[in-house]
């Protein structure tokens, strides 16, 4: 059994990992992958890190990607384009709340479209 | 005049050199209306790009520009990474198979670069972003008939200065709204250095 993955992109590794911890307290089986900070773990975002997180999170059911501010969105979009994965979606929703909703929906065995729709309904 | 592979390598080297020299100034600009990391980010990106192309024995300008693009994208770590990366990638595609790069080809490449930046950043002219240097520069190249180092440097500086009067509506500076008035946009400043470096390479040839 595999689930729709959730990717957390933040300028700060601590923020991304912190949200991962929050979700993990409730949702155990859904892949939640953090891509926080630059390659050197400084403040920023990294296309490579994001791509790796997407690959880990996508276990065959696709993944939804959440980001914080500034470069995170552009780097998220580029990472998705470069990995040429069709079943990965960059979401327009608050990072913490959006990813939490997505993880809960995914844990209920929803497919990627349904997970994305639930997030969009809540925050769109 | 046309740009040889060596010229393009020299352009990236010179861009790196100028950005390293002005790293602190770029950071100061970004501290005023952003998150203060622009100087550090672009300096790291161009340092890595210059190091990357120094290792290669290039026979095509497109390859130099492509390696520059990929390095900037993965190493800058801020919004200018994907934007500068996209610009150099579009340039690379446009000049592919056209060595040495003639003026018309380079001009087409610049136009493509501007379109790429605008699409990637979802920005247009007048929003106090690096579009406000790249776009007027592409227009300027379209109006001219050949590479002219002095004019390129002058035009880029003017475009950069113009951003002072703009209110940011895109990018991190947009959070500052009217408080961004009167400040030069950091991304426009580093873009200006990239064109200044090009101007120096051209100036050295004539």
């Amino acid at each position: 059994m595999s689930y729709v993955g959730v990717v957390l992109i933040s300028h700060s590794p601590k923020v991304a990992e912190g949200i991962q911890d929050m979700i993990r307290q409730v949702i155990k089986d859904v892949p939640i992958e953090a891509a926080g900070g630059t390659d050197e773990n400084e403040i920023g975002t990294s296309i490579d890190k994001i791509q790796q997180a997407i690959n880990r999170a996508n276990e065959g059911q696709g993944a939804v990607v959440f980001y914080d501010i500034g470069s995170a969105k552009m780097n998220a979009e580029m990472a998705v384009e470069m990995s040429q994965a069709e079943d990965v979606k960059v979401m327009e929703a608050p990072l913490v709340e959006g990813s939490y909703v997505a993880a809960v929906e995914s844990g209920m065995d929803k497919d990627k479209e349904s997970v994305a729709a639930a997030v969009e309904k809540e925050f769109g | 005049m046309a740009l040889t592979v060596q010229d393009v390598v020299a352009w990236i080297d010179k861009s790196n050199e100028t950005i390293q020299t002005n790293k602190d100034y770029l950071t100061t600009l970004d501290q005023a209306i952003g998150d203060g990391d622009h100087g550090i980010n672009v300096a790291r990106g161009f340092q890595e790009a210059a190091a990357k192309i120094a290792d290669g024995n290039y026979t095509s300008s497109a390859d130099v520009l492509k390696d520059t693009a990929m390095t900037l994208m993965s190493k800058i770590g801020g919004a200018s990474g994907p934007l500068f990366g996209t610009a150099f990638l579009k340039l690379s595609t446009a000049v592919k198979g056209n060595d040495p790069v003639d003026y018309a080809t380079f001009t087409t490449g610049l136009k493509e670069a501007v379109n790429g930046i605008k699409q990637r950043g979802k920005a247009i002219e007048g929003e106090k972003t690096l579009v406000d240097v790249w776009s007027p520069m592409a227009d300027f190249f379209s109006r001219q008939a050949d590479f002219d180092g002095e004019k390129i440097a002058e035009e880029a500086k003017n475009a950069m200065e113009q951003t002072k009067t703009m209110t940011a509506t895109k990018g991190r500076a947009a959070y500052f709204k009217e408080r961004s008035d009167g400040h030069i946009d950091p991304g426009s400043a580093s873009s200006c250095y990239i064109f200044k470096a090009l101007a120096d390479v051209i100036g050295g040839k004539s």
Side-chain angles (χ1 to χ4, degrees), chain A residues 10-21 36-37 41 43:
Chain A
S10 171
H11 276 57
S12 156
K14 285 183 196 164
V15 169
E17 284 159 23
I19 301 167
Q20 195 177 26
D21 291 345
N41 285 324
I43 301 291

Side-chain angles (χ1 to χ4, degrees), chain A residues 9 26 42 60:
Chain A
I9 306 170
V26 185
E42 285 165 12

